[in-house]
Amino acid sequence: MKTEQPKKYITCLVAMYILCGLVYMGWRVEAINMAAPLLSIPLYAAEMYGYVSGLLFVLMTYRLSVREAPPPEPGIAVDVFVPTYNESVDLIRRTLLAAKRMDYPHITWLLDDGRRESMRALAEELGCRYLARDNSVHAKAGNLNNALQYSQGEFVAIFDADHAPRRDFLVKTLGYFRDAKVAFVQTPQDFFNIDSFNHRLGKRRVWDEQALFFKVIQRGKDALNAAFFCGSCAVIRRSAIEAIGGFATETVTEDVHTAIKLHKLGYQSVFHAESLAFGLAPHSIDTYLRQRMRWGMGAMQVFRSENILFSRGLTLGQRLNYFASALFFFEGWQKLIFFLMPPAVFLFGVLPIVSPLNTFLLLFSLYYLLSILVHLELGRGYNSLFLSEQYAMARFFSFMSTSAGLFRRNIPFAVTDKQLSQTGKTWLWLSPLLIIAGVTALSVPVGLYRMYAGSIPVGAGLVTLFWTIMTLGTALIVASFSQKHSRNRRSEYRFPLRLPVTLTMQNKTYLGLTSDLSPNGALYIGQGVPPLTRGGVIDVAIHLPNLIVRDTAVATFIKGPGPSSPHGTSIGLHFNWDAQGNTGGLETFLFGSRLQLDMADFSEVETPPLTRLAELLRRDSTEPLIAQSWAAGLLTQPPRSGMLPVAIATIEGTAPLLFSSIELDLSAATTLRQAISGKTAESKVSLTSTGKLSTPTGDFHLYNITPCGSAA
């Protein structure tokens, strides 16, 4: 295993942060206002918590593992477990379809703790093994342990009900087990529903609240042989699990607890940082917070039962890594202190810090500026200062409640809700945040009066007022974002993919692209279909790599070209899968890849400030691959018969990019016919290959288009 270390200027930044933090924390002891201990001591404790957490963050992210997957040995027996309890048939179907198509020979098992005939029928239909038990003792861990008794594979791959793996998942993970000490290989848990509560969409960036953990922190843990087993998107050695008596059942986070037991026995873990499976992220604040509460409760249970800091069998690096992850769930108490401190100052007229304002601002500003820069730079672009604070505010009360896990032994296992259409009681979950915001807002006029009357120094009052405004602004953003997601009534996620589509009606074919696509429907934008009316039925063909999906569809709405549809007619399509048909081909294509990000050229990272400055000094620049202006086209290449529907992305200042579902002959004469806003233009073009985009059914081939003149 190789490691990636930060640049020298980042090392200097980290050293300055550690030194400045020691100076600041030492100075803060002298600045505590002992006349108001109920305010000043909790504030100092919250700041010390932040500094200790920062040091542990440096430990986990300074060095990152860099791994290249070795090829797997042939002839290994592999079982694939998909545990389920109450998830829908449609959701399980997609995961099983993806699991079945993985390239290395394996047996796929559906482990049904819901004991449903619909699941038994689904497993039989797809050729999977079905296993149920007569009770649900120990929830997911008990389900997995039960399956171990009926299977014989040397290795077990585990996927949650919503995580669809890529074809090469087993090929990319099994090779690590050539080392007999490796107990499990974990991969990132990535998500396809980028409109979830976890995600924020910018103009060219998709930010995922969990990406920092899976793309950076887990790699740092891996460098110290402390990577977590996360319960899904992983492969585990059967003999290692048997050596610890099965998956851990004592806590509600069976995954982390299992990893600790394996590490205590001297086993090694591997984190393969490539996203090889894609699932459903929590769609609303209630599902998000329920999931975090279970994680937090489990972390407290594990912290108590395993005595992480002093238990025998763990290395120092492993102890500190596990301790850092448990400590994270005490963040809610720190945030509560930070949220309540400004209104407390205004309402009671007492300052928690006794110091000349200039001295405080100098030391405070320097320390917190260095802290912010360290977190952004070591986060490698996956961190976001403002977004991270918003999520910290959203979950502060839930994290506070998880402290009960230190004292409660019996905590029920709660399955994370996977249904997009269920919205939950948003305002109930927001109520702690809204109470904080209300108290803070009411304290402002009191604070302004105290500043006017002179009972609070103006300088200290202005600092407190700025702090208050930041708290209120963050609360309003979180409440607005949460309420927006509570109104999501769509039962299916729509992939924002531009794929060639042909509609046929009365023996005439019309060309367009999908604007969004799901297994049950699509939004078509392209040539108008004059005979079609709302509620009418039309033949549809979606042109995928190595696959054309054909169906009939009902038009749910039709909008002609205009401001809302400048690139052609918009038609809503609802697919008519009959009793014998199934969406397997389309589902196979949609789930288990990151095509929607690649095709839109979305970035998951934002260059940190110092790294960006270094790039500017070196005059490095990165041009976007794909713009957001799309058109459909038909391509002819002799001696091919017929015409190939393609998608075309217009790139400002450079050649347009063509997406083809088959590999083209670059030496052959090529004719391109485009249909834009109902008008057809035909020309001869030359093509230059620029790469491929991988999909579960094959590759999209990318070509730059250069005009050669008018077609004959």
Side-chain angles (χ1 to χ4, degrees):
M1 176 186 66
K2 299 178 182 178
T3 58
E4 169 196 312
Q5 300 198 32
K7 303 291 185 182
K8 290 183 179 179
Y9 62 87
I10 305 298
T11 301
C12 293
L13 174 68
V14 169
M16 291 172 59
Y17 164 68
I18 294 173
L19 179 61
C20 185
L22 289 172
V23 172
Y24 176 76
M25 289 301 164
W27 169 81
R28 277 285 284 111
V29 173
E30 300 176 359
I32 292 176
N33 184 2
M34 296 309 297
L38 294 180
L39 289 182
S40 55
I41 292 177
L43 179 60
Y44 181 72
E47 290 188 275
M48 181 59 74
Y49 170 90
Y51 181 56
V52 172
S53 297
L55 294 178
L56 292 171
F57 181 79
V58 170
L59 170 73
M60 293 186 294
T61 59
Y62 186 78
R63 269 193 329 140
L64 305 184
S65 65
V66 179
R67 293 187 181 272
E68 185 174 344
E73 294 181 343
I76 298 174
V78 180
D79 289 309
V80 176
F81 289 173
V82 179
T84 177
Y85 177 64
N86 61 359
E87 295 82 5
S88 69
V89 171
D90 286 343
L91 187 68
I92 299 295
R93 172 187 289 276
R94 294 162 197 165
T95 302
L96 293 180
L97 284 169
K100 284 277 294 179
R101 72 168 183 265
M102 288 191 295
D103 287 335
Y104 196 89
H106 60 279
I107 298 173
T108 302
W109 295 76
L110 179 59
L111 313 180
D112 180 23
D113 250 9
R115 297 173 286 281
R116 293 163 289 172
E117 283 303 316
S118 58
M119 288 294 147
R120 183 188 298 274
L122 177 64
E124 183 177 343
E125 174 193 341
L126 299 181
C128 302
R129 303 239 182 129
Y130 176 83
L131 186 62
R133 51 187 182 142
D134 57 7
N135 60 69
S136 298
V137 175
H138 299 312
K140 180 181 175 181
N143 197 2
L144 295 173
N145 286 333
N146 180 64
L148 288 175
Q149 302 177 39
Y150 294 90
S151 57
Q152 289 81 37
E154 184 180 353
F155 299 100
V156 175
I158 302 170
F159 299 100
D160 280 347
D162 60 310
H163 267 95
R166 272 176 25 180
R167 292 185 65 100
D168 57 351
F169 183 93
L170 294 177
V171 174
K172 290 289 185 72
T173 53
L174 289 175
Y176 290 109
F177 291 102
R178 290 175 178 268
D179 183 346
K181 294 181 180 180
V182 172
F184 65 88
V185 177
Q186 180 66 55
T187 70
Q189 291 186 10
D190 216 331
F191 306 95
F192 62 78
N193 57 325
I194 57 176
D195 63 348
S196 79
F197 188 82
N198 276 35
H199 293 83
R200 296 296 180 92
L201 299 179
K203 186 176 181 181
R204 303 205 58 80
R205 186 188 182 193
V206 176
W207 185 82
D208 177 8
E209 188 254 354
Q210 284 187 250
L212 177 66
F213 176 77
F214 281 111
K215 303 298 175 66
V216 179
I217 293 176
Q218 274 279 58
R219 291 177 60 195
K221 292 177 179 292
D222 190 32
L224 294 169
N225 189 31
F228 284 2
F229 168 53
C230 298
S232 180
C233 312
V235 184
I236 199 158
R237 189 188 296 271
R238 176 186 292 268
S239 59
I241 282 293
E242 291 174 346
I244 62 170
F247 293 93
T249 59
E250 300 92 331
T251 63
V252 294
T253 48
E254 83 293 333
D255 41 17
V256 175
H257 200 173
T258 296
I260 291 177
K261 289 186 172 185
L262 290 168
H263 281 139
K264 280 186 173 183
L265 283 186
Y267 281 105
Q268 294 182 1
S269 55
V270 167
F271 183 73
H272 181 82
E274 185 179 8
S275 294
L276 298 175
F278 300 83
L280 268 174
H283 52 85
S284 59
I285 189 172
D286 55 322
T287 52
Y288 169 83
L289 292 180
R290 283 194 192 101
Q291 185 185 67
R292 271 37 179 198
M293 287 176 68
R294 178 171 65 82
W295 293 352
M297 290 276 192
M300 297 301 103
Q301 287 181 305
V302 171
F303 184 76
R304 183 193 67 230
S305 63
E306 292 296 334
N307 192 19
I308 291 172
L309 281 176
F310 305 105
S311 181
R312 298 177 60 182
L314 297 177
T315 66
L316 178 61
Q318 289 170 338
R319 294 169 195 264
L320 291 176
N321 270 274
Y322 282 115
F323 175 68
S325 296
L327 188 67
F328 171 67
F329 291 97
F330 289 98
E331 175 198 55
W333 295 100
Q334 180 209 35
K335 295 302 180 184
L336 178 67
I337 294 169
F338 286 162
F339 297 153
L340 289 179
M341 195 56 57
V345 170
F346 281 159
L347 293 174
F348 300 115
V350 178
L351 298 177
I353 298 176
V354 180
S355 168
L357 183 62
N358 291 341
T359 303
F360 167 74
L361 288 178
L362 175 64
L363 293 175
F364 173 87
S365 299
L366 180 59
Y367 166 63
Y368 275 93
L369 175 62
L370 290 172
S371 175
I372 289 168
L373 289 175
V374 163
H375 280 78
L376 291 177
E377 296 295 333
L378 292 185
R380 271 70 168 189
Y382 289 98
N383 210 344
S384 173
L385 172 64
F386 296 109
L387 293 178
S388 296
E389 283 302 310
Q390 290 172 31
Y391 283 86
M393 176 172 277
R395 64 180 179 242
F396 85 93
F397 186 76
S398 297
F399 273 18
M400 288 169 57
S401 67
T402 64
S403 303
L406 282 172
F407 312 103
R408 290 179 59 186
R409 292 187 176 275
N410 298 317
I411 299 174
F413 183 94
V415 177
T416 303
D417 178 25
K418 303 297 193 307
Q419 305 303 314
L420 291 179
S421 61
Q422 297 178 8
T423 58
K425 299 177 180 178
T426 301
W427 294 113
L428 177 63
W429 290 95
L430 285 173
S431 57
L433 178 154
L434 296 175
I435 291 171
I436 292 289
V439 172
T440 302
L442 291 173
S443 73
V444 171
V446 178
L448 292 175
Y449 173 77
R450 290 186 182 279
M451 291 167 61
Y452 175 78
S455 60
I456 293 180
V458 173
L462 290 175
V463 171
T464 306
L465 182 62
F466 175 77
W467 190 350
T468 300
I469 292 171
M470 292 295 292
T471 299
L472 285 173
T474 303
L476 290 175
I477 292 172
V478 173
S480 175
F481 182 73
S482 301
Q483 181 61 15
K484 172 186 172 184
H485 275 69
S486 74
R487 295 193 298 266
N488 179 15
R489 307 302 297 179
R490 180 172 279 173
S491 61
E492 280 278 355
Y493 176 71
R494 294 290 186 93
F495 289 83
L497 294 171
R498 305 303 195 275
L499 305 176
V501 176
T502 52
L503 304 182
T504 303
M505 192 170 192
Q506 297 180 2
N507 297 320
K508 187 173 181 180
T509 298
Y510 305 87
L511 175 66
L513 298 175
T514 60
S515 179
D516 55 38
L517 181 63
S518 79
N520 294 321
L523 174 61
Y524 162 97
I525 297 179
Q527 292 178 301
V529 186
L532 185 63
T533 59
R534 182 180 177 184
V537 177
I538 193 167
D539 292 326
V540 179
I542 306 173
H543 297 261
L544 310 176
N546 300 324
L547 179 67
I548 299 177
V549 176
R550 301 184 187 277
D551 189 20
T552 60
V554 174
T556 57
F557 68 84
I558 302 173
K559 292 181 181 179
S564 63
S565 183
H567 300 294
T569 298
S570 297
I571 304 175
L573 300 172
H574 182 76
F575 301 141
N576 289 330
W577 304 111
D578 60 27
Q580 285 73 41
N582 81 64
T583 59
L586 185 54
E587 287 174 315
T588 295
F589 170 79
L590 288 174
F591 299 94
S593 83
R594 52 172 291 124
L595 180 65
Q596 62 176 334
L597 300 185
D598 293 335
M599 205 167 189
D601 197 31
F602 273 126
S603 173
E604 295 178 277
V605 299
E606 186 173 66
T607 307
L610 295 184
T611 302
R612 183 182 301 166
L613 178 61
E615 290 175 351
L616 290 174
L617 294 175
R618 294 195 305 265
R619 297 183 179 181
D620 293 344
S621 62
T622 303
E623 294 295 330
L625 172 66
I626 303 167
Q628 297 301 309
S629 181
W630 292 85
L634 290 169
L635 201 68
T636 302
Q637 263 201 339
R640 299 183 190 274
S641 60
M643 304 191 79
L644 174 68
V646 294
I648 301 165
T650 302
I651 306 174
E652 186 177 350
T654 58
L657 197 63
L658 181 145
F659 291 74
S660 171
S661 60
I662 63 173
E663 189 169 5
L664 302 173
D665 183 356
L666 299 182
S667 63
T670 304
T671 302
L672 178 64
R673 180 189 299 168
Q674 287 183 255
I676 303 176
S677 299
K679 297 180 180 179
T680 300
E682 190 171 292
S683 61
K684 288 190 178 297
V685 298
S686 62
L687 304 174
T688 306
S689 177
T690 63
K692 301 176 183 178
L693 293 181
S694 177
T695 84
T697 63
D699 293 329
F700 263 122
H701 301 270
L702 279 60
Y703 301 91
N704 277 337
I705 307 171
T706 305
C708 296
S710 300

